[in-house]
Amino acid sequence: MMLLPCPWCGPRNATEFRYVGEAGPRPDPASTTPEEWRRYLFMHANPCGPVKETWYHRAGCRRYLAVERDTATNEVRSAVDSATGVAR
Amino acid sequence: MSLLPTTRRGADAPVSMRLGPQPGEVIDRRRTIPFTWNGEDHRAFPGDTIASALAAAGVRVFSRSYKYHRPRGLLTADYLDPGAFFQVGDEPNVRGAHRLVEPGMEVSSQNTWPSLKYDVKAVNQLAGRFLATGFYYKTFIKPEPLWPLYEKVLRRFVHAGAITPDPGEAFYDHRHAHPDVLVAGGGPAGMAAALAAARAGASVMLVEENHQLGGHLRWGDAADLAALGELRAQVAAETGIEVLTDSVVTGRYDDNWVGIAQRNLPGVAERLIKARAGTLVVAPGLIERPYVFAGNDLPGVMLSTAVRRLVNLYAVRPGQRAVVMSANPEGDLAVADLERAGVEVAAVLDARERRGVVRAHGRGGLRAVETNEGRRIEADLLVTATGWTAPTSLLNQSGDRPVYEPTAARFRPDPARMPDNVLAAGEIVGDATVEAIVEHADAVGREAARRAGRGGPAVTIPSLAPRPHPELFTAGTGGFVDLCEDVSAKDITTAVAEGYDSVELVKRYTTVTMGPTQGKLETVNAVALVAAATGKSIAETGTTTWRPVYAPVTLGALAGRPHEPVRHSPMQPWHDRHGATPLVAGQWIRPEHYGDPAAEVRAVRTGVGIIDVTPIGKLDLRGPDVPKLLNLLYVNKWSKLGLGRVRYGVMCAEDGVVMDDGVTGRLGEDHYLMSTTSSGAATVWEWVENWLQTAHPDWQVHVTPVTTAYASINIAGPRSRELLGRLTDVDLSADAFGYMNVRQGSVAGVDDCVLWRIGFTGELSYEIHVPASYGLHVWEQLMARGADLGVTPFGVEAQRILRLEKGHFIVAQDTDGLTQGYTAGIDGLIKLDKDDFVGLPELRWQRERDEHAHLVGVRPLDGSIVPPEASQILDSSGGIAGRITSSRMSPTLGRSIGLAQIDRELAAVGTRVTVRLPDGRDITVEITDAVHVDPEGERQRV
C-alpha cells in the first residue's frame, strides 16, 4: 500500500485518505456551457505520469491536501495543505 | 520389504525407517504422540511433520495425483511437497511435510476413492487421451447446455479435500508492525543480516517459513551445525530482533508494505501481519529443482534436499537402496548422508560428467533406474541434485527483473533495478562458503539499517555471485513438469506445437505452475521446455510473473477479527428495557419500533410521542462567513436568516443531484447549528470542509461536528407543548416561540439545550438537543412527567409513516443517484437567481429542458393494497414510467399511501396509472399531491 506524506501527520497509509480526484478549476457557473461543466464533472485526464490531485486525510488531520503524484511510480512529488499551502 | 505401502499390523508389518539419534534432529524422542492416518493408529515424536512420521513408519505413497490419480510419495519433504497434501480433520489441503503432528490429529489422504491403495479413478491413466493438453478447453465445451453436468463429474475428480460448511470457532487475527528492517528468510544470511541491522540500532523482524531458523545449515555437517548454533544464540540474545518462525512473507507492495502470514500463534488459527518496513532484506535461499524424465513422479524419486531433511532433521531412512544423480556439492553431501543412514548407495551418477538418469521404472513405487549409459539399476530410492531455482518473487514484486545466468542455470537479482528500500542477501544472490555468505549478509544488514534511517556510513557490500552449474532440466524422455497439476513435458511441447509459443500462454493453456506450489518447483523447467520447443534461449523466453501471494493465506486471516463498531444513543439502555426492535441504520443501532408502529403513529397524531433522533447529523458553525457557506451549499437563500430562526435547506451536488437535507438554525450573531440526515452526517461534514478548504480558504468559518455531543429527542403531537412546558424554562407559547424558530435553555434541569420547533411529522413538535451525557435523564423525565398525557415512545418506522403522510421525502429513499433537484419537487426552494451555489448550472438546465420525472403522491384505488417499494409504474404501452419510492398503510387515513417518481407526462394529479407488483399482478393507483395529511400544515403551526 502506498504511503502519502501528509504535511501535518507525516507518511500515512493511503487507506487513511479519501481520494477526491484530479484537481482542476471550477468553471464560472454563470457563463459555463454544458460541455464545459460536464468535462469538469466527469472527464479526467488520467495520465500515466505526473498528476495534480486532491486527497482528504479522513482518518487523520481531516485536511484536504494538494498532491502531485506520478501515477506510473506512485512517487509523490509534493503534498501541501490545500487551504494554507503548508508543506512538511 | 514390500515397496507397496501398508500400515496394517501383522505379518507384513513395515520395517521402521526411523534411524538412531542424529546430531541435528528436530524431534523429541522422550515421548510420542498419537494420530491416525486413514483411520489407522500411528505415533509420532514431537517435532515430526505428518509426512516424516508416516515415512518413519514405512509409508511411501501419500496421495494420488490431480489428473491421472497416479500414486505419489515425498519429493521435497518440505512445505512445497506436491505429494503430501492431506486432509486433517475439517481442514483440507494441509501441507503434510510441513505441518507438525499434534495429539489426536486425524489425517487422511486426499483425492482417493475408495482408498489410497485401490484408487478407482486411476483409470484416468488409461483414459489419458480424454485428458489431452488443454483438455478443459477442448473436451467439455460443447454442447454448452451439458456444461453443468460435466462440471459436476469433473469436480469429483479434482485434487482437493473436503471443507465443512461450519466455520467453527477458529480465531483469526491481524497485526500491524513497523520494523526498520524486515528480513524475509531465516537462514544463515537472514540471521546475519538481522543481527547486523539490529546491532546498528534498527528494529528488526526476522521471518522464517520453517519451524526453526537456520535454512540449509539445519541439515548440514558438524561445522554447519556449529555455525548454526552460534548464529541462533546471537539472534536469541539480540533484543532488537523479533523472530517469527512458521511464518512467511506473502508479498511486497508499494513503499515496502509487506504481508506476513503467521501460523504458529497459540490459540490463533492464522494471523496476517501488515508490516511497513523501512528496508526489506530478501534472503529466501534457493529451492531445489526437480529433474524431468520418464517416471520422475514415482514414489521413491526425491530431491537431494528431501533426503537430507529426512535423515538429518527427522532421523528417517528415505529408502533401502539408492541411486544418486548429482550435479553439485550438495548432492554429493546427500550421498554421505545416505551412507550414514545405512542406505545402500548402488550408484552415483555424476551429472557434471554427463552421467544421469533417463527413466525410472516401477508401479506404485520405484523399482529400477535406467541411466543414460544404458545401465538398469534396481533401487527403491532415486535422488536428484540437478540445480536450484531462485525464488525471486519478492524481488519481482519490488520492480526487479531477475536475469537468467546460463552458466549458473538460474535467475539472479539485478541490483540496478531494485528500489533503494529493498536488498537481497544469501544464496539468491550467489554461492559461497557459510563464512562468506554471513560476511555479505552482515554488510547487507548494516546497509539496510542505514537506509532505514539508522545512520552510519555507507556500506560496501562484498560481491557474491552464483557459481557455475550445468544446465539440467530434462532427460528428454517425458515425465512430469508440474506434479501438482499433472502437466507433463509432452503437454508443454504439444502446447507450443499448437501455437501457444509464449510461456504465459503455455501456462494458461496447460495450467503448468498454476497448482499449489505456484511455480516454485516447476517454473524454470517449464521455461526450459518452452525455450527448447521454440528454439529460443531461456533468457529470451523469460519467466511467468511471480505475483503475490507467495504462499497461501487463509481467508480467515485476510478477514481478521470482525471490527464493526456500532453506535448507540445514550438512551439505548431505556430502549432495550422497553422492548425496542433494533434497526441497523449505517453504524447506528436505533429503535425501529416498540411493538406497534401504527399505534405509535396514532399516539403522535392524537396525543404526544417522543422519538430518539440522536443520529441526526449536527454541525456547529461559527464565524462571520457562515451565511456565505450556507448560500453556497444549499439551493435556497440564507442571507437573511434572523436570530432565533430555523430554515429547511436541500443540498445538491455539482451534478444537481439531491445530496442531503436538513434544518439550520441561527443561535447567535455568528453562530449556527446545521443538521443533516442521519446517514449523511459524515459525508456532509467532509463536503463542508471540502468547499471551505479547497475553494474558499479565505472564508472565516469554523466547523465542529457535534452529532454525538448532543442527544436528540423529537417531541411530537398536539400535546407536545404541554409536555415540554413542564420541563423547560423556555417560553413555549405560540407567540414567543413560533414555528421554525430555535431557542436555547434548560430542559429537565439540564442547561445548554437547543430547542427547535420544526415539523417533520406534521404535528406541533419540538426537537431538543441536550448534552449527550444527560440524554437518558431527559428522556426518562419526559416519559415520567408525560405519563398522564399518555406520552408514547415511537421508533423510526412510525416516523417514516408520519413523514410519508406529510409527503416529506427521504434522501436516498425517495431520491436516488440520478434524482436532480426539480425531480425531488423542491422547485420553490431552488433559487436560480443566486450568483452561485453548488449544482446551479445543472439545475438551471434541468428546468430549461423541463422533461424531468416528478416526485408525486400515489394512492392505490384499492386502499387495502400497499404496493411494495420499488414496484414499477407502467405507461400505456407497458414500458416503465416510474416506480414507487415509499409506501405504507396510513393509520391516520386508514388506507395505503405512497410516494413515486414518475415521468412528467403521467405526473398530473388525478392521473391513473398501472403499477405492477412483484407477484405479477397489476393494480391501479391515482396520482395525488405528495402531502396526504393536513396539506395546509395547520397542525404543525398551532
Side-chain angles (χ1 to χ4, degrees):
Chain A
M1 187 200 309
M2 174 174 82
L3 284 172
L4 275 176
C6 174
W8 301 106
C9 310
R12 294 283 167 159
N13 287 348
T15 50
E16 288 189 9
F17 299 79
R18 180 163 62 81
Y19 180 65
V20 180
E22 283 177 26
R26 181 173 183 253
D28 177 2
S31 61
T32 188
T33 62
E35 292 72 27
E36 181 192 42
W37 187 257
R38 281 155 194 171
R39 213 164 33 241
Y40 154 68
L41 286 180
F42 305 119
M43 306 302 285
H44 303 289
N46 195 23
C48 180
V51 61
K52 289 181 178 173
E53 53 197 16
T54 306
W55 291 74
Y56 175 59
H57 198 183
R58 197 170 198 275
C61 57
R62 294 196 170 264
R63 298 297 296 175
Y64 283 80
L65 310 178
V67 174
E68 208 181 335
R69 180 177 64 103
D70 189 319
T71 58
T73 62
N74 275 342
E75 180 201 350
V76 176
R77 297 176 176 188
S78 70
V80 303
D81 187 296
S82 292
T84 65
V86 164
R88 190 166 172 80
Chain B
M1 63 161 278
S2 164
L3 294 179
L4 285 174
T6 170
T7 57
R8 204 171 296 118
R9 302 284 180 264
D12 57 348
V15 178
S16 170
M17 302 296 269
R18 189 75 80 179
L19 301 165
Q22 302 296 310
E25 69 183 23
V26 296
I27 52 174
D28 175 1
R29 293 177 184 256
R30 290 170 298 181
R31 61 188 180 94
T32 63
I33 46 182
F35 72 104
T36 63
W37 163 245
N38 289 333
E40 298 190 21
D41 292 331
H42 280 265
R43 300 194 79 84
F45 290 124
D48 259 325
T49 65
I50 297 167
S52 73
L54 293 175
V59 175
R60 285 171 60 85
V61 177
F62 290 82
S63 63
R64 290 276 176 169
S65 71
Y66 171 69
K67 228 170 13 182
Y68 302 114
H69 289 256
R70 293 168 63 90
R72 292 280 164 81
L74 290 180
L75 177 70
T76 70
D78 70 353
Y79 189 84
L80 296 177
D81 204 313
F85 289 92
F86 300 142
Q87 177 92 22
V88 176
D90 286 343
E91 188 182 355
N93 306 320
V94 170
R95 309 283 179 136
H98 174 84
R99 180 71 64 87
L100 302 182
V101 177
E102 288 166 32
M105 255 185 180
E106 293 175 0
V107 184
S108 53
S109 48
Q110 292 184 173
N111 206 28
T112 52
W113 186 79
S115 75
L116 181 58
K117 196 170 172 183
Y118 306 104
D119 188 314
V120 168
K121 290 178 283 187
V123 70
N124 279 1
Q125 292 179 67
L126 307 175
R129 73 184 189 89
F130 293 116
L131 301 177
T133 316
F135 80 103
Y136 290 114
Y137 303 107
K138 289 173 179 166
T139 312
F140 297 106
I141 293 309
K142 287 180 178 170
E144 204 171 311
L146 281 183
W147 171 247
L149 177 67
Y150 293 145
E151 190 182 21
K152 222 172 175 176
V153 175
L154 284 172
R155 288 221 178 271
R156 289 183 66 94
F157 278 74
V158 296
H159 191 57
I163 56 164
T164 163
D166 173 17
E169 292 179 4
F171 178 73
Y172 294 89
D173 194 26
H174 274 184
R175 177 188 162 193
H176 291 262
H178 301 82
D180 291 329
V181 175
L182 195 154
V183 182
M191 287 192 285
L195 281 166
R199 286 167 182 161
S203 61
V204 180
M205 200 171 240
L206 176 58
V207 183
E208 168 55 44
E209 184 173 25
N210 287 292
H211 301 281
Q212 310 89 20
L213 293 176
H216 65 84
L217 294 184
R218 292 175 302 153
W219 55 80
D221 59 16
D224 286 343
L225 290 175
L228 173 57
E230 179 61 26
L231 281 167
R232 275 190 186 155
Q234 291 181 36
V235 168
E238 182 52 64
T239 54
I241 303 176
E242 180 181 3
V243 177
L244 304 173
T245 53
D246 195 9
S247 301
V248 60
V249 174
T250 59
R252 187 269 185 190
Y253 306 86
D254 278 337
D255 293 318
N256 269 358
W257 177 252
V258 178
I260 302 164
Q262 187 178 12
R263 307 186 185 112
N264 63 348
L265 275 182
V268 178
E270 191 165 273
R271 174 195 260 174
L272 182 67
I273 300 175
K274 301 175 181 182
R276 178 74 73 180
T279 311
L280 173 65
V281 176
V282 179
L286 296 172
I287 294 171
E288 190 166 25
R289 194 158 61 221
Y291 191 50
V292 181
F293 55 93
N296 67 338
D297 67 325
L298 282 170
V301 177
M302 293 187 203
L303 303 182
S304 76
T305 42
V307 301
R308 298 190 70 197
R309 287 186 186 103
L310 286 173
V311 170
N312 295 300
L313 299 181
Y314 305 106
V316 170
R317 182 187 300 124
Q320 307 288 10
R321 184 178 154 88
V323 173
V324 180
M325 173 182 176
S326 172
N328 50 49
E330 290 79 13
D332 302 341
L333 289 167
V335 176
D337 284 342
L338 288 170
E339 284 170 342
R340 192 158 45 81
V343 179
E344 180 194 346
V345 179
V348 177
L349 309 173
D350 193 331
R352 289 153 292 198
E353 294 171 7
R354 300 184 181 279
R355 278 191 270 276
V357 58
V358 289
R359 275 185 192 83
H361 298 280
R363 278 186 67 82
L366 179 70
R367 288 182 187 278
V369 175
E370 188 182 325
T371 75
N372 61 356
E373 293 168 327
R375 292 170 67 196
R376 184 186 169 98
I377 308 164
E378 298 291 314
D380 67 343
L381 178 63
L382 169 60
V383 180
T384 64
T386 54
W388 307 94
T389 294
T392 54
S393 184
L394 291 174
L395 299 172
N396 291 58
Q397 292 160 26
S398 308
D400 187 21
R401 288 265 183 86
V403 288
Y404 182 71
E405 293 233 351
T407 57
R410 70 181 201 241
F411 287 84
R412 64 175 302 212
D414 177 0
R417 299 187 65 153
M418 279 158 60
D420 274 353
N421 55 11
V422 178
L423 293 163
E427 291 176 325
I428 196 169
V429 183
D431 306 296
T433 61
V434 173
E435 293 74 23
I437 289 277
V438 164
E439 187 191 338
H440 174 269
D442 178 84
V444 168
R446 280 182 283 131
E447 176 67 5
R450 193 186 69 81
R451 293 191 187 179
R454 288 291 153 187
V459 179
T460 307
I461 297 172
S463 64
L464 183 62
R467 70 183 169 216
H469 193 289
E471 285 186 295
L472 291 164
F473 308 107
T474 174
T477 53
F480 284 92
V481 179
D482 186 331
L483 274 72
C484 294
E485 294 282 301
D486 265 2
V487 179
S488 68
K490 183 164 166 279
D491 289 332
I492 305 276
T493 48
T494 304
V496 173
E498 291 183 11
Y500 298 93
D501 55 358
S502 99
V503 68
E504 293 283 0
L505 291 176
V506 168
K507 168 183 166 180
R508 282 153 184 79
Y509 190 54
T510 64
T511 73
V512 70
T513 76
M514 288 166 75
T517 55
Q518 288 284 292
K520 295 175 188 71
L521 298 174
E522 58 276 3
T523 286
V524 178
N525 284 337
V527 170
L529 281 160
V530 171
T534 56
K536 291 180 184 162
S537 72
I538 289 177
E540 287 166 339
T541 305
T543 63
T544 55
T545 309
W546 296 67
R547 293 188 184 84
V549 296
Y550 178 77
V553 184
T554 60
L555 291 176
L558 292 174
R561 270 180 278 171
H563 285 293
E564 281 187 55
V566 294
R567 299 172 121 181
H568 293 121
S569 88
M571 290 81 97
Q572 184 65 27
W574 192 95
H575 305 321
D576 288 341
R577 284 199 304 277
H578 292 81
T581 297
L583 172 74
V584 178
Q587 285 191 326
W588 289 92
I589 309 292
R590 48 190 311 198
E592 185 170 15
H593 57 78
Y594 299 84
D596 185 354
E600 293 166 18
V601 169
R602 283 190 289 270
V604 172
R605 290 269 180 251
T606 59
V608 59
I610 62 174
I611 179 172
D612 179 352
V613 290
T614 301
I616 280 180
K618 296 172 278 281
L619 296 175
D620 183 280
L621 308 174
R622 292 178 196 241
D625 293 321
V626 173
K628 285 185 189 167
L629 175 74
L630 300 175
N631 263 329
L632 177 67
L633 298 188
Y634 285 116
V635 297
N636 47 331
K637 288 186 182 171
W638 291 82
S639 313
K640 297 193 177 96
L641 185 69
L643 269 174
R645 297 285 295 170
V646 169
R647 188 170 291 167
Y648 172 74
V650 173
M651 292 181 190
C652 290
E654 285 280 54
D655 55 4
V657 170
V658 174
M659 182 182 148
D660 204 80
D661 68 344
V663 297
T664 294
R666 189 173 180 192
L667 304 179
E669 184 61 33
D670 291 334
H671 184 194
Y672 295 73
L673 185 63
M674 173 191 280
S675 71
T676 74
T677 61
S678 300
S679 56
T683 311
V684 172
W685 181 25
E686 292 184 6
W687 186 241
V688 169
E689 288 288 355
N690 190 354
W691 286 96
L692 285 174
Q693 291 183 33
T694 66
H696 300 285
D698 52 320
W699 287 359
Q700 293 182 52
V701 179
H702 195 85
V703 184
T704 310
V706 291
T707 301
T708 51
Y710 287 110
S712 304
I713 303 167
N714 194 294
I715 305 149
R719 306 194 75 171
S720 57
R721 180 179 284 140
E722 191 178 351
L723 169 58
L724 184 58
R726 295 174 181 180
L727 288 158
T728 181
D729 60 356
V730 175
D731 181 355
L732 299 183
S733 67
D735 292 340
F737 189 179
Y739 182 59
M740 296 306 272
N741 275 268
V742 58
R743 298 290 180 267
Q744 289 167 277
S746 79
V747 177
V750 178
D751 292 337
D752 301 321
C753 296
V754 179
L755 294 75
W756 277 340
R757 196 182 150 191
I758 53 176
F760 193 48
T761 61
E763 297 298 323
L764 171 67
S765 74
Y766 299 88
E767 191 155 294
I768 62 173
H769 305 285
V770 307
S773 48
Y774 294 102
L776 182 58
H777 162 75
V778 172
W779 179 273
E780 287 175 337
Q781 285 294 302
L782 285 165
M783 288 305 299
R785 300 287 295 278
D788 61 313
L789 303 175
V791 62
T792 302
F794 65 105
V796 173
E797 175 59 17
Q799 189 189 43
R800 288 187 167 232
I801 297 171
L802 289 159
R803 69 88 203 177
L804 180 59
E805 290 179 340
K806 283 296 295 177
H808 294 307
F809 67 80
I810 294 178
V811 175
Q813 160 86 31
D814 301 295
T815 72
D816 59 35
L818 295 172
T819 306
Q820 292 181 308
Y822 285 101
T823 299
I826 53 167
D827 308 32
L829 280 183
I830 301 171
K831 300 301 180 195
L832 294 177
D833 59 337
K834 289 203 287 184
D835 287 342
D836 188 13
F837 64 86
V838 178
L840 168 61
E842 286 289 356
L843 291 174
R844 190 167 64 220
W845 299 323
Q846 191 196 12
R847 199 182 64 165
E848 284 168 7
R849 285 194 308 272
D850 193 25
E851 52 194 24
H852 51 271
H854 289 253
L855 188 65
V856 296
V858 289
R859 292 190 185 190
L861 296 188
D862 179 347
S864 68
I865 297 174
V866 182
E869 286 164 0
S871 295
Q872 302 295 326
I873 299 170
L874 305 184
D875 62 21
S876 54
S877 61
I880 295 172
R883 67 176 199 285
I884 306 289
T885 60
S886 291
S887 58
R888 287 292 188 280
M889 183 59 69
S890 162
T892 310
L893 300 175
R895 66 163 355 274
S896 57
I897 57 171
L899 284 174
Q901 275 198 31
I902 189 166
D903 289 351
R904 63 190 279 281
E905 294 76 20
L906 298 173
V909 170
T911 309
R912 292 186 173 182
V913 294
T914 301
V915 171
R916 179 153 298 168
L917 304 181
D919 64 8
R921 276 185 304 151
D922 288 345
I923 62 164
T924 303
V925 305
E926 184 167 308
I927 308 301
T928 66
D929 190 82
V931 188
H932 295 282
V933 172
D934 185 26
E936 289 75 36
E938 299 297 330
R939 301 175 66 90
Q940 63 200 16
R941 294 177 187 279
V942 294

